[in-house]
Amino acid sequence: MNVGVAHSEQNPNVSWLNSKGIWFTYVIFVFTMHLILLSLPFLSTAVAWTLTNVLHNVAAFYLLHIVKGAPWETSDQGKARSYTYWEQIDDGVQFTATRKFLTTVPIVLFLMASFYTKYDPTHFFINVSTLIVVLIAKLPQLHGVRIFGINKY
Amino acid sequence: MTRDNLVINKTQVENNGVIHDPKKLSNQMQTQFQKGLTEKSTKKGKSEYDDELFEDTPMLQAIYTYICYAVLNLFGWFRDFLRQAGIEKRKGAADNNPPDFVPLYQSYESFYTRNVYYRIRDCFNRPICSVPGAELELVDRKTDDFNWSFYYTGKKVKALNLGSYNYLGFAENNGPSSKAAIQSINDYGVASCSPRQELGTLKCQLQLEELLAEFLGVESAVTFGMGFATNALNIPTLVGKNCLILSDELNHASLVLGSRLSGATIKVFKHNDTKDLEAKIKKAIIEGHPVTRRPWKKILIVVEGVYSMEGSIVRLPEIIAIKKKYKAYLYLDEAHSIGAVGPNGRGVIDHWGCDSKDVDILMGTFTKSFGAAGGYIAGSKELVEFLKLNSHANCYASSMSPPVTWQIIRTLEIIMGLDKTNEGIRRIKQLADNTHYFREKLIKMGFIVYGNHSSPVVPVMLYMPSKIAGFNRLMLEKGIAVVTVGFPATGLTGGRVRFCLSAAHTREMLDKALEAIDECGNMAGLRTSQINKPKTLKQVRDEETKMNEIEIEENVERRI
Amino acid sequence: MLDLIPDYVKNAPFYHLVVEAFLLVWILWLIFRKSYSPPEKNKLTEKDKKELLEEWTPEPLVPNYDFRESIVKPRVVDGPVAKYAIVDGVKSLNVASFNFLNMVGNQKISEMAIKSIQKYGVGSCGPRGFYGTIDVHLELEQRLAKYFNVEEGIIYSYGFSTIASAIPAYSKRGDIIFADEGVHFAIQKGIVASRSDVRYFKHNDIEDLERLLKEQEDADKKNPKKAKVTRKFLVIEGLYMNYGDLCPLPKMVELKYKYKYRIFLDESVSFATIGKTGRGITEYYNVPREKIDLISGSMEMSLGSVGGFCVGSSYVVQHQVLSGQGYCFSASLPPLLAVSAIEALNIIEEKQDEIFPELERKCKIMHQKLKALNNYTVSGIDISPIKHVRLSFENTLDRLEKIVDYAQSKAISLTVARYLKEEKFSSKPSIRISVNYDLTEAEIQQIVDVLDQAVN
């Protein structure tokens, strides 16, 4: 909706995760998804927790680290097209509040999942592997890096 | 509800129809600035000064908004999946070229357009078939396939116009300005078809420039055929590679485009936040260019007079003080404020009582308050000569059309009072009156209204994307044409309806609008203010009559 | 207290607890890590900073400029800039403004414009998105699309902004634009605004263009993944305003399908002047218009109005409704100018069998006569309504301005072609003559005679 743009923000993707109340809403979404999984009769609590953790990490990885560009025409003439969403947040500045929040959520989710799965080794293995993938992708050293040229263009 | 909770304090001085005394406020701000005093802030808002209010987003509304967008996104993905799987037919045009050409558009970039914008496309680009005055006639448009294509039924819909930029009501087809324009077509033809530097300079354009310079109180002025192009083509002429531009967060797209085209470094400061601006200027001068570390050649502060989406008025005295202290230059874009703000209609400089010689470059457009088209830049004689020699628009683009020029000349004469009538002052007062009345009623009803109390641009927050469309359509059914905008044009929780008041609106029209807003506000649940309790229009009116009665009784008692 | 901790926690495997402890430490480290900012290189004291602030002096806002009397105080016209215009009080024959079809001052157009003011007022008071779309705009867009026999059209309120907004709407960073060196300034600005990779080829030189295209093709072969997302565009003008010659369109269309680029054709000058019925260069060369992706033009020349337009297939043109900066953020065209453009189109379509052959004939006569002059060279093709005339010896701007002054004193208005210093490829100074289709042969002879006399 390019009608009457109200600001000089060239890429709205940079700042919408800083809006008021969005972190709270994010937590509510994860919680709702977990409740839905918990209400399915054939899943035990442990499996529900692991599923929540894994689904959340997979979805977060796809949306933050694989999808590039923005779902609307930005006025920065295509600069955002080569960056993933994680790289676009706050214009690439590292260790901002949003980035810290997004890094902390999978960790907290993992800690709660391990508690509720009673520290079972299989669950631990699955949870820890998704957690490691998500955490490594958020390291500042990997900003702009494309391993083996995957996802470069 | 005590008087203290009212945002507009009736004890402020009334002066020429304007609520407060800006000169006093301006002096107050100057001394505050020099002493480095902190501003006030109320509990639930970011109110910094007495005359502006930007209430914080209520948490519940924010959460609803995000849920709304999440649902829209989910459905968007679902529909995209159906389209790719071939279950749903793809609407929209297809490329003429063979398929091995690189596709012209990225599918992901048009995700939002396809799935969100097209749902509410009927709220934008509505065609009209009358003069865009206080009331207009819309061409009736219907769609069979959910806004992918429209057809016209041939009917016309009459509506009250709260959307066009017609601040002083000069968009008329039978006033003295239009008569002058008609006469000029007989004298000058419709267009000049030549740039100013070649054979496109007409006598009436020089007349307009002289009159404009007198109006603004500067040495000289130069006019261009289009307001957008004035910014985009002249900022690159004034600043270049090793210069710094400090631009406000909410500057208009033309200013942003002009700044980018110039090649200068751009730093953005928080909206209307002079502390942030000062900190950034200090840092810039001390550190120099970020890469070469050389000192900057020029520093240009670019601000607007009235911001059209927020309704805020620029803190001009403070910015002038900053500019003088740090030797920067000031570019003031008065597109929405010239003619609409100030006791004599001369813009924000008039409003604050500042000196027009303090602003280096005054820019404005004739589209809003003058009912014409085009833009101007005014300032010192050297500046204007320099622009005449080097501006892209003067050299390559055709000059202003004669009927448009004459419309502006006649309008300026009316505003300045040179036609020996009171019409100009009457319109300015009427606009200030309307602004005061409309804003006060909306705030008392419990809507969240942004902006300065004297700005004729009245944004009321809606927040949710569904309300953006819903409110727009409901108001149109009641016969009122409004403008609503949302993400990504504003922030994520910035969905709003923006009313543009006009001197052509009468009290009855405003009352009709307020009643409609009252009803639609009920239906859409828009009374979200946490500072003022929600009330219906009737309750507000009853309270006002009661207070008036109390005042009259007190006066009677005092006399006795 | 320890009894409250469940058994399975107390019996948790060791590695698990290690991992959890590590993660907790990581969170704490994150929370206390400040956000990145470039290392503070300045170990300046407060006193130093204060000194820097006081010492810094900017350059003057207005730099020293080259004062040119002829530009700062140009000739002033009092009356319509028609075939005969009152320039500085003297009625002169005007071949300086772009009035090819003599629409300025036309009686019918003036009547319609007056009717339009009586209905719509003068200004449209809003951008296209917010009640600034007037039914005459939609009608004009349809008429232009019909004139060119394409699917859709879109109009802008200023000729300069049209192509300068259209190019950045499609071509972004990472895309490649091949542009002719002779394109005019608005196109150059559009290319700069698009931030794309631009390759200029020599004016009208097909071999140079092919060489550039081949180079790009080789680079593409080495990196096919990148090539899949890189769009290529060719930006050319139908009739070059700075040169007066036509572009070799058929060959360029042929190369389009070989090298897979899209063509943006700017027909500001060739619209309603070239071609048997004035449909532009595509008609002249008999190229089907579907092969051109976007045709843009200006209504400020042949149509005698103000503004610009883009026509093409719906797929291409619809995009500008949301992405064309000059369309979305600017107030729309005043309705009286749209109505004048529609009326001008009516006149053109009615009289198309007379106007265009006549214009062609006059252009050819003017070209012949100018060529016959001794001290001048004429550049451009003979059917072009724009003629660039240069002195054969010592062709400087000052001498040309003196010739223009002399011609003005003999009641003929010529003009020097004005350029800015920022032009990427500057052309040699010239006098630009615009042929008006209403000129009589006697008047053409007058112009040529004055030019001849001026040299002596």
Side-chain angles (χ1 to χ4, degrees):
Chain A
M1 280 190 268
N2 234 355
V3 269
V5 157
H7 50 65
S8 53
E9 178 86 78
Q10 294 199 344
N11 180 6
N13 244 354
V14 160
S15 62
W16 69 262
L17 267 178
N18 292 335
S19 320
K20 179 173 175 180
I22 191 131
W23 295 356
F24 184 57
T25 320
Y26 183 91
V27 170
I28 290 185
F29 279 154
V30 174
F31 193 59
T32 320
M33 176 175 74
H34 177 67
L35 280 181
I36 295 178
L37 284 174
L38 264 184
S39 60
L40 292 176
F42 45 87
L43 294 177
S44 67
T45 316
V47 174
W49 272 101
T50 309
L51 257 185
T52 311
N53 194 19
V54 167
L55 280 178
H56 168 263
N57 284 345
V58 164
F61 185 74
Y62 177 71
L63 289 174
L64 290 176
H65 300 284
I66 294 190
V67 169
K68 293 201 299 287
W72 42 70
E73 288 259 342
T74 52
S75 55
D76 61 357
Q77 291 300 119
K79 190 160 95 166
R81 276 182 188 172
S82 52
Y83 290 120
T84 62
Y85 182 44
W86 175 256
E87 288 159 0
Q88 286 172 35
I89 294 180
D90 289 327
D91 265 329
V93 175
Q94 302 293 330
F95 298 112
T96 59
T98 312
R99 285 175 189 247
K100 288 181 196 170
F101 171 74
L102 286 175
T103 322
T104 316
V105 167
I107 296 179
V108 167
L109 212 54
F110 170 76
L111 290 173
M112 294 179 71
S114 6
F115 180 73
Y116 281 103
T117 60
K118 306 200 166 84
Y119 299 96
D120 181 58
T122 341
H123 285 272
F124 169 75
F125 182 68
I126 300 174
N127 286 333
V128 121
S129 39
T130 55
L131 180 70
I132 288 182
V133 166
V134 164
L135 280 185
I136 289 186
K138 294 190 166 62
L139 284 176
Q141 285 75 15
L142 284 182
H143 180 90
V145 169
R146 302 275 182 263
I147 308 178
F148 302 128
I150 303 173
N151 209 18
K152 189 161 184 200
Y153 293 116
Chain B
M1 167 104 146
T2 61
R3 268 193 180 195
D4 298 327
N5 283 352
L6 281 180
V7 169
I8 300 177
N9 198 340
K10 269 197 172 175
T11 56
Q12 283 165 335
V13 173
E14 281 214 18
N15 190 1
N16 274 353
V18 172
I19 286 187
H20 58 280
D21 187 350
K23 283 207 181 53
K24 252 198 212 161
L25 198 59
S26 146
N27 286 334
Q28 177 190 38
M29 275 180 8
Q30 287 262 32
T31 37
Q32 262 188 353
F33 175 72
Q34 269 145 14
K35 286 190 202 164
L37 293 174
T38 54
E39 314 109 15
K40 305 184 258 181
S41 52
T42 62
K43 200 168 74 164
K44 288 237 176 171
K46 286 185 285 182
S47 166
E48 293 169 353
Y49 305 98
D50 286 326
D51 58 346
E52 274 192 2
L53 181 61
F54 293 95
E55 201 179 313
D56 270 343
T57 311
M59 190 57 133
L60 204 56
Q61 294 293 319
I63 296 183
Y64 286 155
T65 313
Y66 303 135
I67 296 180
C68 219
Y69 278 111
V71 169
L72 277 171
N73 262 315
L74 278 172
F75 272 91
W77 286 327
F78 181 56
R79 296 288 288 273
D80 269 352
F81 167 70
L82 289 180
R83 281 188 203 116
Q84 261 200 310
I87 302 173
E88 189 181 329
K89 225 180 356 157
R90 271 177 232 246
K91 295 191 189 135
D95 197 353
N96 263 344
N97 293 312
D100 52 356
F101 272 63
V102 179
L104 192 55
Y105 315 119
Q106 262 200 347
S107 166
Y108 187 50
E109 274 190 358
S110 38
F111 175 88
Y112 205 76
T113 314
R114 272 198 308 274
N115 297 310
V116 180
Y117 177 70
Y118 266 54
R119 286 173 189 268
I120 61 174
R121 198 158 85 111
D122 61 315
C123 299
F124 304 105
N125 292 66
R126 288 197 177 124
I128 67 175
C129 53
S130 72
V131 61
E135 288 190 335
L136 49 68
E137 275 181 11
L138 290 164
V139 177
D140 194 28
R141 231 181 15 165
K142 295 240 187 306
T143 172
D144 271 339
D145 49 0
F146 303 104
N147 294 341
W148 284 87
S149 63
F150 294 105
Y151 63 90
Y152 300 103
T153 59
K155 285 203 287 256
K156 299 189 193 170
V157 177
K158 245 190 160 33
L160 177 64
N161 182 6
L162 286 176
S164 297
Y165 303 134
N166 182 19
Y167 300 127
L168 288 178
F170 282 112
E172 23 183 48
N173 50 4
N174 57 0
S177 331
S178 359
K179 292 207 177 68
I182 292 179
Q183 184 58 36
S184 78
I185 294 186
N186 292 327
D187 294 337
Y188 284 93
V190 168
S192 69
C193 296
S194 183
R196 284 289 291 265
Q197 286 187 1
E198 297 179 5
L199 204 66
T201 309
L202 303 171
K203 200 160 108 179
C204 50
Q205 289 164 3
L206 296 176
Q207 220 177 322
L208 170 61
E209 288 172 5
E210 266 179 46
L211 195 57
L212 189 61
E214 196 190 315
F215 178 67
L216 295 169
V218 286
E219 284 178 14
S220 58
V222 59
T223 54
F224 303 96
M226 182 194 191
F228 180 90
T230 309
N231 277 331
L233 302 179
N234 287 314
I235 296 184
T237 325
L238 294 167
V239 287
K241 257 195 145 175
N242 284 321
C243 306
L244 175 67
I245 295 183
L246 281 151
S247 134
D248 188 293
E249 212 177 7
L250 299 180
N251 269 342
H252 187 254
S254 55
L255 292 166
V256 175
L257 181 63
S259 313
R260 278 191 3 225
L261 283 178
S262 69
T265 314
I266 306 174
K267 282 207 167 64
V268 169
F269 64 92
K270 292 206 193 69
H271 176 59
N272 240 356
D273 189 345
T274 42
K275 283 209 166 18
D276 195 28
L277 172 63
E278 197 183 356
K280 290 208 158 78
I281 284 195
K282 267 193 177 154
K283 188 160 180 258
I285 298 181
I286 291 175
E287 290 182 3
H289 193 277
V291 177
T292 63
R293 294 290 174 189
R294 280 205 227 116
W296 297 104
K297 282 201 195 155
K298 286 181 218 175
I299 297 187
L300 185 69
I301 305 176
V302 177
V303 288
E304 283 186 40
V306 166
Y307 291 89
S308 60
M309 281 294 170
E310 295 281 305
S312 46
I313 297 187
V314 67
R315 301 276 141 201
L316 197 59
E318 290 185 14
I319 295 189
I320 291 184
I322 292 179
K323 159 195 117 85
K324 283 187 178 160
K325 185 169 168 194
Y326 297 100
K327 295 174 258 177
Y329 300 116
L330 181 58
Y331 185 105
L332 179 65
D333 177 345
E334 294 213 75
H336 284 268
S337 54
I338 190 77
V341 172
N344 297 314
R346 289 171 203 223
V348 281
I349 297 184
D350 195 22
H351 176 87
W352 292 114
C354 298
D355 187 5
S356 51
K357 303 257 183 325
D358 282 334
V359 179
D360 302 289
I361 307 158
L362 283 144
M363 180 263 168
T365 63
F366 298 118
T367 331
K368 281 93 185 177
S369 309
F370 297 88
Y376 67 85
I377 290 194
S380 66
K381 195 155 148 307
E382 290 84 37
L383 173 72
V384 168
E385 270 182 18
F386 178 71
L387 283 176
K388 283 187 179 168
L389 285 166
N390 289 309
S391 162
H392 306 177
N394 258 3
C395 185
Y396 296 104
S398 69
S399 54
M400 207 189 251
S401 153
V404 169
T405 316
W406 272 104
Q407 156 93 2
I408 304 170
I409 294 180
R410 200 55 86 221
T411 314
L412 261 180
E413 287 178 354
I414 295 178
I415 295 180
M416 288 165 79
L418 293 177
D419 62 335
K420 312 273 195 300
T421 66
N422 271 338
E423 189 61 18
I425 291 288
R426 181 195 74 82
R427 285 177 192 245
I428 296 172
K429 271 198 177 172
Q430 177 77 30
L431 178 64
D433 224 17
N434 284 352
T435 309
H436 172 199
Y437 178 72
F438 197 71
R439 273 182 174 267
E440 194 179 350
K441 287 279 181 309
L442 281 179
I443 291 177
K444 283 187 190 168
M445 283 203 272
F447 293 105
I448 297 187
V449 180
Y450 273 9
N452 194 303
H453 301 327
S454 330
S455 108
V457 172
V458 186
V460 172
M461 299 309 285
L462 301 172
Y463 300 115
M464 291 171 68
S466 46
K467 289 187 191 173
I468 293 173
F471 188 75
N472 201 320
R473 292 176 189 147
L474 283 174
M475 290 292 274
L476 189 61
E477 277 173 28
K478 296 204 183 310
I480 305 191
V482 296
V483 161
T484 51
V485 281
F487 186 72
T490 62
L492 191 56
T493 50
R496 65 195 70 180
V497 56
R498 180 190 67 181
F499 300 109
C500 286
L501 298 171
S502 158
H505 288 137
T506 60
R507 249 328 143 86
E508 292 77 37
M509 291 180 189
L510 289 183
D511 283 334
K512 175 176 170 211
L514 284 167
E515 278 157 21
I517 297 174
D518 192 26
E519 275 184 58
C520 297
N522 272 339
M523 282 195 256
L526 294 177
R527 283 170 230 259
T528 49
S529 170
Q530 292 170 324
I531 300 182
N532 305 310
K533 285 208 218 83
K535 292 201 182 81
T536 64
L537 188 59
K538 191 164 171 311
Q539 285 174 321
V540 170
R541 287 221 173 98
D542 290 338
E543 272 188 22
E544 280 187 346
T545 28
K546 239 196 287 179
M547 268 198 223
N548 283 342
E549 282 171 14
I550 297 177
E551 263 187 53
I552 295 177
E553 275 180 30
E554 282 177 358
N555 284 342
V556 166
E557 271 182 31
R558 234 176 274 143
R559 244 178 263 139
I560 297 176
Chain C
M1 196 60 129
L2 281 173
D3 291 336
L4 286 175
I5 306 177
D7 275 327
Y8 55 84
V9 175
K10 281 194 244 178
N11 299 335
F14 184 62
Y15 57 83
H16 204 130
L17 290 172
V18 163
V19 168
E20 286 198 359
F22 171 70
L23 287 174
L24 279 170
V25 167
W26 186 329
I27 293 185
L28 285 172
W29 173 75
L30 251 191
I31 294 177
F32 291 113
R33 185 79 158 82
K34 279 207 183 142
S35 59
Y36 252 23
S37 42
E40 291 279 316
K41 280 209 186 125
N42 49 339
K43 301 229 168 56
L44 299 167
T45 63
E46 281 305 313
K47 190 163 158 294
D48 286 339
K49 288 189 185 170
K50 217 172 157 198
E51 256 183 49
L52 274 174
L53 286 174
E54 278 169 16
E55 278 175 5
W56 179 75
T57 31
E59 277 184 8
L61 178 62
V62 178
N64 285 329
Y65 52 86
D66 217 3
F67 184 87
R68 266 211 119 82
E69 176 93 27
S70 54
I71 300 182
V72 177
K73 294 191 173 32
R75 292 171 280 182
V76 179
V77 180
D78 190 10
V81 190
K83 191 170 86 156
Y84 278 97
I86 304 183
V87 180
D88 284 338
V90 176
K91 182 167 168 189
S92 331
L93 176 63
N94 165 24
V95 278
S97 69
F98 299 116
N99 194 10
F100 305 132
L101 302 181
N102 207 12
M103 294 283 181
V104 177
N106 183 303
Q107 197 55 25
K108 261 202 257 174
I109 294 184
S110 300
E111 271 173 31
M112 294 299 289
I114 291 179
K115 280 207 200 116
S116 149
I117 295 186
Q118 285 163 343
K119 182 171 180 198
Y120 298 109
V122 173
S124 58
C125 297
R128 288 292 291 256
F130 303 145
Y131 306 106
T133 305
I134 306 188
D135 49 356
V136 289
H137 294 145
L138 300 173
E139 198 188 320
L140 178 59
E141 288 174 356
Q142 277 170 5
R143 288 295 299 277
L144 283 166
K146 210 164 63 131
Y147 184 83
F148 279 97
N149 206 5
V150 286
E151 286 178 18
E152 212 172 306
I154 188 174
I155 54 176
Y156 284 78
S157 49
Y158 209 43
F160 191 99
S161 303
T162 310
I163 193 68
S165 305
I167 296 179
Y170 300 102
S171 176
K172 318 263 178 188
R173 264 175 240 254
D175 295 334
I176 302 179
I177 297 184
F178 297 98
D180 187 300
E181 278 184 2
V183 287
H184 67 262
F185 196 70
I187 299 183
Q188 290 172 24
K189 280 288 131 189
I191 292 178
V192 165
S194 73
R195 302 265 186 263
S196 310
D197 200 2
V198 61
R199 319 262 163 87
Y200 284 101
F201 61 92
K202 294 201 190 36
H203 178 60
N204 273 351
D205 189 347
I206 288 277
E207 272 103 42
D208 204 22
L209 173 61
E210 276 212 70
R211 176 184 63 88
L212 287 171
L213 288 168
K214 272 211 178 57
E215 273 174 28
Q216 185 55 37
E217 201 184 28
D218 293 333
D220 280 349
K221 286 210 181 83
K222 290 197 199 115
N223 200 343
K225 271 206 217 153
K226 184 170 180 193
K228 265 211 191 134
V229 289
T230 311
R231 294 167 196 86
K232 302 195 246 303
F233 300 97
L234 176 72
V235 177
I236 43 176
E237 284 185 58
L239 185 75
Y240 289 91
M241 181 145 67
N242 299 343
Y243 290 87
D245 52 6
L246 301 172
C247 75
L249 192 60
K251 192 71 172 67
M252 289 175 167
V253 171
E254 198 190 299
L255 290 175
K256 165 181 173 173
Y257 291 101
K258 184 165 170 213
Y259 292 98
K260 317 255 179 286
Y261 55 74
R262 292 169 200 266
I263 301 186
F264 285 170
L265 180 64
D266 181 65
E267 293 218 67
S268 302
V269 184
S270 52
F271 166 61
T273 52
I274 304 280
K276 211 159 43 113
T277 58
R279 267 34 175 191
I281 194 172
T282 45
E283 187 186 25
Y284 180 82
Y285 281 119
N286 214 354
V287 169
R289 248 162 248 129
E290 295 80 47
K291 302 211 171 151
I292 311 284
D293 294 275
L294 187 74
I295 299 179
S296 77
S298 166
M299 302 193 283
E300 293 169 3
M301 300 192 188
S302 313
L303 288 187
S305 176
V306 173
F309 62 87
C310 285
V311 293
S313 59
S314 279
Y315 178 73
V316 179
V317 169
Q318 261 299 91
H319 182 75
Q320 284 180 50
V321 172
L322 284 180
S323 315
Q325 297 243 324
Y327 181 88
C328 301
F329 302 124
S330 160
S332 52
L333 189 64
L336 71 105
L337 295 168
V339 164
S340 333
I342 296 178
E343 190 57 31
L345 273 177
N346 285 343
I347 298 178
I348 290 177
E349 285 179 356
E350 204 185 294
K351 297 210 212 133
Q352 64 188 26
D353 295 321
E354 315 170 6
I355 299 184
F356 299 110
E358 185 65 21
L359 178 62
E360 203 179 300
R361 198 175 70 91
K362 298 273 168 56
C363 293
K364 284 192 177 144
I365 297 177
M366 172 80 87
H367 199 91
Q368 268 172 0
K369 298 218 166 147
L370 286 171
K371 258 186 124 146
L373 284 175
N374 275 334
N375 294 313
Y376 294 99
T377 51
V378 189
S379 73
I381 196 174
D382 57 350
I383 55 165
S384 135
I386 288 208
K387 314 257 176 243
H388 282 270
V389 174
R390 301 189 171 91
L391 287 167
S392 310
F393 306 106
E394 249 196 88
N395 184 39
T396 62
L397 191 59
D398 290 321
R399 284 191 76 192
L400 290 172
E401 282 193 351
K402 288 211 190 80
I403 296 179
V404 168
D405 289 336
Y406 177 78
Q408 185 61 52
S409 65
K410 298 278 179 213
I412 305 244
S413 291
L414 301 172
T415 179
V416 177
R418 295 277 177 209
Y419 303 108
L420 288 177
K421 278 183 259 153
E422 286 118 341
E423 285 257 2
K424 230 174 145 82
F425 304 97
S426 43
S427 330
K428 295 186 280 242
S430 65
I431 292 182
R432 180 176 48 211
I433 298 186
S434 314
V435 176
N436 186 332
Y437 108 102
D438 239 349
L439 284 174
T440 63
E441 299 203 27
E443 286 163 350
I444 298 182
Q445 189 59 46
Q446 225 183 335
I447 299 170
V448 172
D449 288 337
V450 163
L451 275 174
D452 207 9
Q453 290 167 14
V455 186
N456 311 330

